[in-house]
Each structure stands twice: as structure tokens, then as C-alpha cells.
Amino acid sequence: MTTDRRPRVVPADAAGIAEAAALLRAGDIVAFPTETVYGLGGNALDPMAMARIYEAKGRPAHNPLIVHLPDAAAARCLAATWPEPAERLGRRWWPGPLTLVLPRAACVPDIVTAGGGTVALRVPAHPAAQALLRAAGVPLAAPSANRSGEVSPTTAAHVARGLAGRIPLVLDGGATDVGIESTVLDLSGPMPVLLRPGMISRTELEREIGPVEVPGRTRLHDEPRPSPGMLERHYAPRAPLHLLDAEQDAARLIRAVRARGGRVGAVTLGGPPPDADEVIPLPADADRYARGLYGALHRLDELGVALILAVAPPPDARWDAVRDRLRRAAHPSP
Ligand code: TXA
Ligand code: MG
């Protein structure tokens, strides 16, 4: 049964890590910070713990989980093969905000991979995530610590609010640094495929391993689904989000919402803010914008605005991941 009781939020110090690790070893689930967003972790080798994660998030059973490991050697144990690109990328970016999809080893339970033949692996850089992985001594499957379809959490408070009554404990490691989810790269097929853009860009990956494919935006229904999660309603605030291109007049949209008694929120991008009721300025720098974006969306939802306006980012590749998340928030249905 779910209640509104908020989970306990404890600092990610030695005592907090020890308590969280004990819960994890006992088969429970715990939220913890990573450098990207907060994750909801459970022992990846324990199918009962995995069932708890799906239940707490309301996540559809066909959407597989990312398994977190303390280092590349541990990650390698969960993959059936370890191709050269995995070796190179692991050396270059682990620990860090990169997830690699590889053929799964036999020890990985079906529920982690949603029955598929591949497993997503990541070595997080956040010191609290590292300490927790080492203290728990088990691989941790950890999706973002939010209800399915909602905006990922970048603070412990976001988690406590979003998963109230559903989890026992949140380790508080402050606001996350990257701010959006890891880059997901599929290395299980003949060509590397970018399943989810992130702050490690396609260009950076290609510099390391050569050409990386990007799946087409439209996909026929009977085509294989390389990343089930990317087809879900995703990363969406409660209020509808509208992307403004540079020339668009925000005034008309704002008037329409106010005429119905609603208030308008906006996230800006360096420039002068639209004349909204609640304006959260974000910097015109892709890294710093990504760091602040989800916090701004959570805040605007808390303020109860009826519409969120966001200025569309510039077309260059540095903004690919941010543009992807804004597009998903603006058009939440696939
Ligand atoms: O930054 C992150 O990756 C965060 C932190 C907590 O590590 N985690 C995260 O997990 O964003 P989640 O579950 O919210 O998103 C995982 C994405 C989903 O789109 C899922 O479909 C995809 O990775 N994925 C997981 N396993 C996969 C697999 N075997 N093949 C293809 N895609 C997979
Ligand atoms: Mg997620």
C-alpha cells in the first residue's frame, strides 16, 4: 500500500552510506545521487529487488534498467562480450556519464533487461555512488528516481517529493552536476548506435571509436525497439511545455493562459525573459543550462503554473542532448 509518507533523507556520509548499503543487501531499494541525476537503486542480481523498482516507479515491464558498477572490470563481468569500442570508451569516460549497451552475461536476471539479450552498463563518477557501490558489494540497477514519465530528480528533495510513500531512504549528496541523464550507446550490433544523447556528445564518441549511428525519429510499429524507454512519455513536467523559436511572440500564448485564470512559467536561455509570471533564467551555455534545466522544471511545477515556455536552444551539436530533453518534455507522447 502506498502512503504519502516522505522517505527519510540522510546525508551521503559514512553513516548514510552504511545504512543504505545494508538496506540494499537486504533486498530493499534506495535512492542515491549520481553525477547525472538521482538513481533508484537495488541489487541487480536480485529479481525481487528489481520488481520493487518497477513497482515504485510505475515503470512498464518492457523498459530495461541500467546496471551501475564501481569500475570497468566489474562492468565487463556482466557482458557476454567486450568489444574494442567498449574498452576504449570505458578507458576514456568511466567513471562518468556514459552508458554502454552490450550482450548480457548469463548472471543478469531477465527482469533487468526486460527479457532482452542486452544489458546497459554504467560506472558513475559521483563519490557517493562510488562509495555505495563498494559498500553494498553488488551491482546496482538504477533508473532515474522518479515516477515513470516524470522529470528526473536532480536533488534529494525532488526524489522525496516524487517517490513519497514508495521508498524508505534517499541519500542526499546535493544537487547533481551534469543535470540530465547519461549518454546511452548501443555496442551490441554491427554499428555503434546512439540511443540517448547526453552531455558526452556523438562527436566526442566518434573521435574515440569512429562513426556512430543515430536511429531515425520515426519508427514503424513492427521494427525492433532498440531503446524501449525512448518511446515512453518522458521527462515531462505536469504543465505543458511549449518551445518558443526565436521569432515567436510569447505574448499571445501568455494572454491566452491568463484569460483562463492560469499563470505562465518560463525558462530563459541567456536572453531577455518572456513576460511570464514565473521566470527562471538559465545560462546560454549548454553544460550550465543542462545542470539547471530539471531543477527549473520541478520548481515551475511546484509553483503550479499552467504553461511552461522554453526558448529553443541554438541548432549546434553542443545543445543536442538539451534539445532532445526539451523536445520530449514538449511532446510527451511518442
Ligand atoms: O544518467 C543515467 O543514466 C541515470 C542515472 C541514475 O544513472 N539513469 C537513467 O535510467 O536515466 P533510466 O532507467 O531512467 O533510463 C535508462 C534508459 C532507458 O531509456 C532505457 O530504455 C535504456 O536506458 N536502456 C536500459 N537498458 C537498455 C538495453 N538493454 N537496451 C537498450 N536500452 C536500454
Ligand atoms: Mg528515467
Side-chain angles (χ1 to χ4, degrees):
M1 208 183 86
T2 58
T3 67
D4 271 350
R5 249 192 53 208
R6 296 269 166 115
R8 231 150 48 74
V9 177
V10 302
D13 55 14
I17 299 284
E19 184 181 354
L23 285 168
L24 290 167
R25 279 196 306 269
D28 216 330
I29 57 178
V30 164
F32 64 95
T34 80
E35 71 277 27
T36 57
V37 300
Y38 275 70
L40 177 57
N43 177 0
L45 303 178
D46 175 358
M48 295 285 283
M50 297 301 92
R52 285 186 171 171
I53 289 181
Y54 280 91
E55 166 72 23
K57 279 186 63 85
R59 185 178 180 105
H62 63 76
N63 191 0
L65 306 176
I66 297 176
V67 182
H68 297 65
L69 294 313
D71 52 42
R76 199 175 166 154
C77 292
L78 297 190
T81 62
W82 199 252
E84 180 59 24
E87 182 62 28
R88 293 182 76 102
L89 294 173
R91 271 179 212 264
R92 172 73 176 79
W93 274 293
W94 279 349
L98 176 66
T99 297
L100 300 178
V101 172
L102 289 151
R104 70 193 268 201
C107 63
V108 181
D110 274 346
I111 187 168
V112 171
T113 70
T118 61
V119 62
L121 303 170
R122 165 158 129 77
V123 176
H126 196 293
Q130 278 287 330
L132 184 63
L133 282 161
R134 289 173 199 279
V138 291
L140 297 179
S144 52
N146 52 280
R147 293 281 288 165
S148 187
E150 293 182 356
V151 176
S152 295
T154 55
T155 66
H158 296 157
V159 181
R161 211 166 31 240
L163 292 178
R166 299 178 171 277
I167 61 170
L169 190 76
V170 186
L171 280 180
D172 188 350
T176 61
D177 183 43
V178 178
I180 64 173
E181 304 82 355
S182 62
T183 304
V184 180
L185 184 73
D186 186 354
L187 295 176
S188 69
M191 278 288 291
V193 181
L194 185 66
L195 297 180
R196 180 171 72 185
M199 297 315 286
I200 295 175
S201 69
R202 180 186 183 184
T203 319
E204 287 175 286
L205 296 171
E206 289 187 326
R207 220 173 278 143
E208 211 64 34
I209 58 166
V212 166
E213 280 180 6
V214 176
R217 269 205 202 159
T218 48
R219 184 165 294 281
L220 297 174
H221 280 305
D222 51 0
E223 267 185 274
R225 300 175 158 209
S227 188
M230 302 319 283
L231 300 172
E232 303 298 327
R233 177 183 183 274
H234 235 83
Y235 314 114
R238 266 174 221 111
L241 183 142
H242 185 91
L243 265 180
L244 295 168
D245 54 54
E247 302 96 86
Q248 195 164 18
D249 182 15
R252 187 180 48 79
L253 286 164
I254 294 173
R255 271 198 308 275
V257 171
R258 285 188 184 143
R260 296 195 304 269
R263 287 181 310 131
V264 178
V267 286
T268 65
L269 195 155
D275 180 28
D277 303 292
E278 304 286 353
V279 178
I280 301 185
L282 290 179
D285 166 86
D287 290 325
R288 289 165 59 219
Y289 184 101
R291 188 175 300 147
L293 176 62
Y294 287 169
L297 297 181
H298 279 287
R299 180 79 190 122
L300 291 172
D301 265 347
E302 249 179 274
L303 290 166
V305 299
L307 175 72
I308 298 173
L309 300 175
V311 178
D316 67 283
R318 299 182 45 73
W319 290 87
D320 280 354
V322 161
R323 206 177 310 104
D324 170 79
R325 301 309 190 276
L326 284 172
R327 194 167 48 74
R328 287 173 198 287
H331 304 284
S333 307

